[in-house]
Amino acid sequence: MGRGKIVIRRIDNSTSRQVTFSKRRSGLLKKAKELAILCDAEVGVMIFSSTGKLYDFASSGKMMGEELSGLTVKELQNLENQLEISLRGVRMKKDQLLMDEIQELNRKGNLIHQENVELYQKVNLICQENMELKKKVYGTKDDNKTNRDSVLTNGLGIGEDLQVPVNLQLSQPQQQHYKEPSGTTKLGRLQLH
């Protein structure tokens, strides 16, 4: 029974992705070793994981900068060129990843800044509405002083300063216990005296 073909795309599940990376990395390094032995080829492989960890293989010390004695200047230049090309590719990939990360962080920063501006505008609007409500409740004339004082004694605790924010809350009315005067007749909730 043969294996089915799989679609080559990024694996969404991080655990499956890590398992696949580990298995395929081992297989790739094994194939590189086999290629070097079977074909007497100089093989060098560098693999970077998504976390930036380096896995490498070199068929000879030449790729690692060892066993260089006996090489001609031309061979050393070819080796240097191969390593520079590989290093350039690694650096370009690293730079691209860093640039992508910076752009994403800038985008998130801009979204947070925009959200902060919107919240600030909402707070200002609420403050303005509170000021308008205070003006309506307390008025601006002194003849409302008695009404203002009676509201203050009912627990709102707002002083003369109109800049203090008002915290309004809905609450259930408290039941008041009245003593029925003698000689009254109850008609539902009405009392006749």
Side-chain angles (χ1 to χ4, degrees):
M1 183 158 126
R3 288 189 204 170
K5 295 240 177 195
I6 63 163
V7 178
I8 301 297
R9 62 177 173 82
R10 183 179 184 273
I11 300 170
D12 293 329
N13 183 300
S14 62
T15 305
S16 298
R17 187 171 53 244
Q18 183 58 37
V19 168
T20 301
F21 173 79
S22 180
K23 287 180 179 179
R24 288 189 175 237
R25 180 196 70 227
S26 299
L28 182 61
L29 293 176
K30 181 180 176 187
K31 291 287 184 188
K33 289 175 191 173
E34 291 171 356
L35 181 63
I37 293 168
L38 292 172
C39 302
D40 195 28
E42 300 258 347
V43 178
V45 178
M46 292 175 35
I47 304 170
F48 290 92
S49 71
S50 59
T51 60
K53 186 172 181 184
L54 170 67
Y55 300 91
D56 61 350
F57 166 76
S59 61
S60 70
K62 290 178 187 175
M63 297 298 271
M64 301 301 284
E66 302 165 356
E67 302 175 16
L68 298 178
S69 60
L71 294 177
T72 66
V73 171
K74 186 164 180 90
E75 291 171 330
L76 286 172
Q77 282 179 331
N78 286 339
L79 180 60
E80 183 180 26
N81 289 339
Q82 289 174 358
L83 292 173
E84 282 180 359
I85 290 169
S86 296
L87 185 58
R88 194 175 313 125
V90 168
R91 285 183 177 154
M92 285 173 50
K93 180 64 175 174
K94 182 186 81 172
D95 290 348
Q96 183 61 48
L97 289 174
L98 289 173
M99 291 302 293
D100 291 347
E101 191 172 335
I102 288 169
Q103 286 177 347
E104 180 64 16
L105 290 173
N106 281 334
R107 186 188 67 78
K108 286 180 180 178
N110 288 337
L111 286 175
I112 289 171
H113 175 71
Q114 182 61 34
E115 193 175 313
N116 194 18
V117 167
E118 290 171 6
L119 288 173
Y120 182 75
Q121 290 171 345
K122 286 180 183 178
V123 166
N124 280 340
L125 181 63
I126 290 170
C127 287
Q128 288 174 355
E129 289 172 354
N130 279 347
M131 292 296 292
E132 291 171 12
L133 282 173
K134 278 190 227 176
K135 287 178 184 176
K136 286 179 183 177
V137 169
Y138 300 121
T140 54
K141 299 177 185 174
D142 279 336
D143 59 354
N144 290 333
K145 182 164 179 27
T146 22
N147 291 341
R148 183 170 53 228
D149 290 341
S150 65
V151 172
L152 289 177
T153 58
N154 287 332
L156 286 179
I158 300 170
E160 299 279 332
D161 185 8
L162 292 179
Q163 297 298 323
V164 176
V166 176
N167 296 318
L168 302 176
Q169 296 179 355
L170 292 177
S171 61
Q172 294 291 330
Q174 296 178 353
Q175 286 200 344
Q176 308 233 346
H177 300 286
Y178 294 105
K179 201 172 198 181
E180 292 179 20
S182 59
T184 61
T185 307
K186 291 185 183 179
L187 295 175
R189 299 194 91 186
L190 295 175
Q191 294 181 350
L192 298 177
H193 296 280

